[in-house]
Amino acid sequence: MPHLHNPLPPLQSDRLLDQLRERIRYLHYSIRTEQAYVYWVDAFVRFHGMRHPAEMAGPEVEGFLSWLANERNVAAATHKQALSALLFLYQKVLEQDLPWMAEIGRPKDRVRLPVVLTHDEVAHVLGKLADAHRLMGQLLYGTGMRIMEGVRLRVKDVDFARRAIVVREGKGAKDRVVMLPASLMPALRDQMAQARRLWSADRAAGRAGVHMPNALARKYPRAEASWTWFWVFPHEKLAVDPRTDIERRHHMLEQTFQRAFKKALVQARIVKPATPHTLRHSFATHLLQSGYDIRTVQELLGHADVSTTMIYTHVLKVGGGGVRSPLDALAGVDALGLARGGSYRAADDDADFPDHPPRVSMPVAQYLVPAPGLAACAA
């Protein structure tokens, strides 16, 4: 029995990249996916001397992907994204379903531990952020939101009464609820007061309202100009909507915060290769350190599979799985960092991090136990 596919409507555009955009929008892919797929299809065509993809097949696709892997040394995730873009082109735009599409090689994912900041490092970085960006950093660390979820936050999704934030259309177009830290409520109210002044100025000037997801602008024509749909972190300047060419108020750009975060890292003298997403990793790791169960952390992060969340349990583990190094045995130091005489480390040990306790293996999960707890264990 032949495999049946859902029929797609005929394309109205004549140019290849316009056809690609048309199909992506019909299938409700995000603007980020559209931009990425257009980039890779354009690169594929240029790599093969401007030949039309309909004239090419598996060997040309594999040649382009091999060039990316061998000459450009792209990461596996980038390799997979380029492959996904080309498969979408052939299957959804050119409407081909040929054997080579299933036989083409896929890159293997490498499991890498996420970068995690300690509590002190988080405090130092947030303290170095400029006033205009500190609240965003605190919100990402305090809720575990992704950076795009933070900058796209709307007024209606902040519930001060319930101390909750509704994250709309997160990764995988899923909604979830996260906590609203009580310590951020005054600053968040001030931020929303500043945003309301921009909203009032836009309304007084008769400007277009904010971008509305899907077809809500047609269903609720006045919603885009309402305060409830306005951004919590609006951009100071107006911008042209890339899909409608309408000049409107956009949210704060994620690149703006990324640059501010990178500058704060340098000022805090932190050498870890951290990014704003590191705040999300630190949020999850610190919750597990505090004793919250893995399922709770999974729901807060919005992971579909608990195995994704389990990566943070590996971050908590002692190097070598808690095995005592033979060098420590020669030095007369036990697993807790205690010398044979019972003293707790030398005065000059860990001079760079005097307030950080050593890691200690626990029966179920390995946590960073406060120093007084270690001393009690040693006694």
Side-chain angles (χ1 to χ4, degrees):
M1 183 176 179
H3 180 70
L4 299 178
H5 296 278
N6 293 326
L8 294 170
L11 293 166
Q12 304 300 317
S13 305
D14 296 325
R15 297 169 60 88
L16 178 67
L17 294 183
D18 290 338
Q19 291 176 341
L20 178 63
R21 294 187 182 97
E22 181 182 337
R23 189 65 83 209
I24 288 173
R25 295 175 188 183
Y26 174 80
L27 295 173
H28 297 281
Y29 284 34
S30 71
I31 183 66
R32 296 306 180 90
T33 302
E34 176 183 325
Q35 293 169 344
Y37 280 17
V38 168
Y39 172 83
W40 286 118
V41 170
D42 180 68
F44 174 65
V45 172
R46 293 180 182 276
F47 178 79
H48 289 291
M50 304 304 291
R51 292 172 60 193
H52 195 282
E55 303 172 358
M56 299 183 282
E60 286 80 7
V61 171
E62 289 188 332
F64 175 67
L65 296 176
S66 296
W67 174 74
L68 287 179
N70 299 323
E71 301 297 328
R72 299 293 298 274
N73 296 317
V74 300
T78 305
H79 189 155
K80 290 176 65 176
Q81 186 186 68
L83 174 58
S84 298
L86 297 180
L87 291 178
F88 182 92
L89 170 70
Y90 279 96
Q91 294 173 342
K92 304 298 184 182
V93 179
L94 302 180
E95 298 189 53
Q96 298 182 13
D97 191 3
L98 301 175
W100 66 262
M101 296 181 186
E103 297 170 359
I104 197 165
R106 267 72 171 175
K108 291 185 178 180
D109 290 326
R110 295 183 179 180
V111 179
R112 298 185 183 277
L113 294 179
V115 177
V116 174
L117 301 178
T118 66
H119 291 90
D120 288 343
E121 289 171 337
V122 171
H124 291 158
V125 172
L126 295 180
K128 295 297 182 180
L129 283 171
D131 294 341
H133 303 293
R134 185 173 298 118
L135 177 59
M136 175 58 69
Q138 292 171 328
L139 200 61
L140 297 185
Y141 173 65
T143 64
M145 289 193 294
R146 302 175 179 90
I147 184 171
M148 289 306 302
E149 295 169 346
V151 298
R152 288 176 177 169
L153 189 63
R154 298 182 190 255
V155 172
K156 67 182 183 63
D157 296 324
V158 180
D159 191 337
F160 287 102
R162 294 177 54 232
R163 284 176 51 185
I165 294 176
V166 181
V167 179
R168 303 286 184 184
E169 295 192 17
K171 191 173 182 179
K174 295 177 294 185
D175 295 351
R176 71 182 191 279
V177 179
V178 298
M179 76 284 278
L180 170 57
S183 58
L184 292 186
M185 292 176 67
L188 197 55
R189 291 184 188 275
D190 291 343
Q191 173 62 32
M192 293 173 75
Q194 296 177 25
R196 191 176 182 93
R197 286 193 285 271
L198 279 178
W199 171 80
S200 299
D202 288 347
R203 302 287 69 78
R207 300 187 180 111
V210 296
H211 168 76
M212 298 288 287
N214 303 319
L216 288 179
R218 291 194 299 271
K219 188 175 182 180
Y220 306 109
R222 298 183 181 180
E224 65 177 20
S226 67
W227 164 242
T228 56
W229 280 91
F230 200 66
W231 310 113
V232 175
F233 297 95
H235 200 283
E236 296 179 353
K237 298 180 181 179
L238 300 178
V240 176
D241 191 315
R243 287 187 169 176
T244 63
D245 293 328
I246 297 176
E247 188 178 54
R248 62 172 86 245
R249 181 80 60 182
H250 201 52
H251 55 70
M252 182 178 75
L253 300 179
E254 70 275 17
Q255 293 91 341
T256 303
F257 181 74
Q258 288 169 344
R259 288 192 292 267
F261 187 83
K262 184 177 181 180
K263 183 178 179 181
L265 278 176
V266 174
Q267 293 177 346
R269 298 182 179 180
I270 295 175
V271 297
K272 294 179 180 178
T275 67
H277 201 72
T278 303
L279 296 174
R280 175 176 164 89
H281 295 322
S282 303
F283 164 85
T285 304
H286 295 167
L287 283 183
L288 291 173
Q289 287 177 349
S290 299
Y292 289 95
D293 64 274
I294 194 76
R295 293 291 181 180
T296 299
V297 178
Q298 176 193 359
E299 292 179 3
L300 290 172
L301 294 177
H303 289 161
D305 194 330
V306 71
S307 63
T308 307
T309 317
M310 288 293 291
I311 189 68
Y312 299 108
T313 64
H314 297 291
V315 177
L316 293 171
K317 288 181 178 178
V318 179
V323 178
R324 182 189 180 192
S325 170
L327 182 62
D328 287 342
L330 291 177
V333 178
D334 63 16
L336 297 179
L338 293 167
R340 285 176 179 160
S343 61
Y344 178 73
R345 290 188 173 182
D348 58 348
D349 283 350
D350 298 330
D352 293 336
F353 303 95
D355 299 327
H356 291 193
R359 292 175 180 249
V360 56
S361 177
M362 300 292 284
V364 179
Q366 281 115 6
Y367 300 114
L368 282 172
V369 181
L374 290 181
C377 292

